[in-house]
Amino acid sequence: MLRAIGKTIDTLPLAALFSQEEKYADTVQIQVDRFYDAHDLSGFVFLLRGVTDSGGETECILDKTVGEDTVTLTWRVGQEFTTEPGTLRLDLAAMRYAEGADPSEDPPEAVLRYQMPPVQVRPLPDAMHTLDTQSYTVFLMQVRAAATEGIAEMTALTEEFADKIDSYDTQLASLTNRATAVERRTTALESAQSETEDDLADLRGLVVSNRNYIVDLKEKVDPMPDIRVLTQAQYDALVTKDSGTVYCII
């Protein structure tokens, strides 16, 4: 609450309170003496004016609460006072009108003005440029949504890749089993081939042995005379008898 000392009001609590484009963000109460000189201010109208660096002006009538010795004024700070950044010069006037007078047309009978040091309205960071319709918060939400969508797509691709890996693992296990079976069969064939080769070697040795035996036998048989089995009549009928032939008469 600001308190008036005579007609001076210290505005230091308001020096850095306001920011550009604020609207009814703050409510300021100002307490003044009810009686000043011969005036009872309970019947006065309190008008607060604000003047900006560019010369813009705005004003509003303050609500008042009358006490025994004080009048408490309530200023709800509207957007009109914070539209322009920079220095805001304040002027509080207390005015009394004649009974039945129209304040919009008739001049006041008495006017008191309170001295109030100027205050500052903090400019927005980009106050020199047109504000983008898209706020930074909206931008962050869009980035987050895009990131979420990207993560979902990456998750789906990862799961698809994992499924393919599982399928490949299954196929690889099947191929490994088949390769193991083929290896076993190959080992069996190699063993059978080895046994067959051993049998063939034995058989080859047997054939060679038999061949040698036959050769030896032939060599023994070749010198032996021919043997012919004949009847007596057949033998008697021979004109020439071979001396190297043994005739066996039955």
Side-chain angles (χ1 to χ4, degrees):
M1 177 181 290
L2 306 182
R3 298 182 184 274
I5 300 175
K7 292 189 294 181
T8 301
I9 300 175
D10 185 8
T11 58
L12 182 60
L14 309 181
L17 181 64
F18 306 134
S19 294
Q20 184 182 4
E21 295 185 2
E22 284 187 327
K23 183 177 182 180
Y24 301 118
D26 297 291
T27 299
V28 180
Q29 289 188 323
I30 305 172
Q31 189 178 80
V32 299
D33 295 330
R34 175 175 175 178
F35 301 98
Y36 184 83
D37 197 10
H39 301 291
D40 181 359
L41 302 183
S42 62
F44 279 55
V45 175
F46 289 83
L47 177 69
L48 180 66
R49 297 171 57 245
V51 180
T52 64
D53 283 337
S54 66
E57 181 178 347
T58 186
E59 60 184 29
C60 66
I61 302 294
L62 302 183
D63 295 334
K64 64 183 179 180
T65 301
V66 179
E68 183 176 354
D69 297 315
T70 60
V71 176
T72 301
L73 309 173
T74 301
W75 173 30
R76 297 186 65 225
V77 185
Q79 187 177 4
E80 298 82 3
F81 288 89
T82 59
T83 299
E84 184 178 324
T87 301
L88 176 64
R89 293 180 291 277
L90 298 174
D91 174 38
L92 176 61
M95 297 171 288
R96 185 186 69 208
Y97 291 89
E99 185 177 354
D102 184 357
S104 62
E105 297 181 0
D106 301 326
E109 293 180 331
V111 178
L112 280 75
R113 291 191 179 276
Y114 293 87
Q115 298 181 24
M116 304 178 68
V119 298
Q120 295 296 315
V121 177
R122 182 187 68 87
L124 295 178
D126 54 350
M128 300 303 295
H129 305 281
T130 302
L131 289 175
D132 193 347
T133 56
Q134 182 182 29
S135 69
Y136 185 63
T137 301
V138 173
F139 172 72
L140 287 179
M141 293 177 65
Q142 291 177 346
V143 171
R144 179 176 297 176
T148 302
E149 182 179 355
I151 291 173
E153 292 180 355
M154 292 177 63
T155 301
L157 289 175
T158 301
E159 292 177 353
E160 182 180 355
F161 184 72
D163 291 340
K164 290 183 178 180
I165 290 296
D166 292 339
S167 176
Y168 292 153
D169 287 341
T170 301
Q171 295 178 10
L172 180 60
S174 177
L175 290 175
T176 301
N177 293 334
R178 293 181 181 178
T180 302
V182 170
E183 184 177 0
R184 290 175 180 173
R185 292 178 182 176
T186 302
T187 302
L189 288 175
E190 289 176 350
S191 177
Q193 181 180 1
S194 177
E195 293 177 359
T196 302
E197 289 178 352
D198 292 341
D199 292 342
L200 288 175
D202 293 341
L203 183 58
R204 186 179 295 109
L206 181 59
V207 170
V208 171
S209 177
N210 290 336
R211 181 182 299 163
N212 293 335
Y213 176 76
I214 292 171
V215 171
D216 292 341
L217 184 60
K218 184 177 181 182
E219 289 177 352
K220 292 177 180 180
V221 170
D222 285 344
M224 294 177 63
D226 291 336
I227 299 174
R228 295 184 61 183
V229 180
L230 301 173
T231 63
Q232 183 65 47
Q234 290 175 335
Y235 177 77
D236 293 339
L238 291 176
V239 177
T240 302
K241 296 179 177 61
D242 186 7
S243 59
T245 301
V246 176
Y247 296 99
C248 182
I249 300 172
I250 57 173

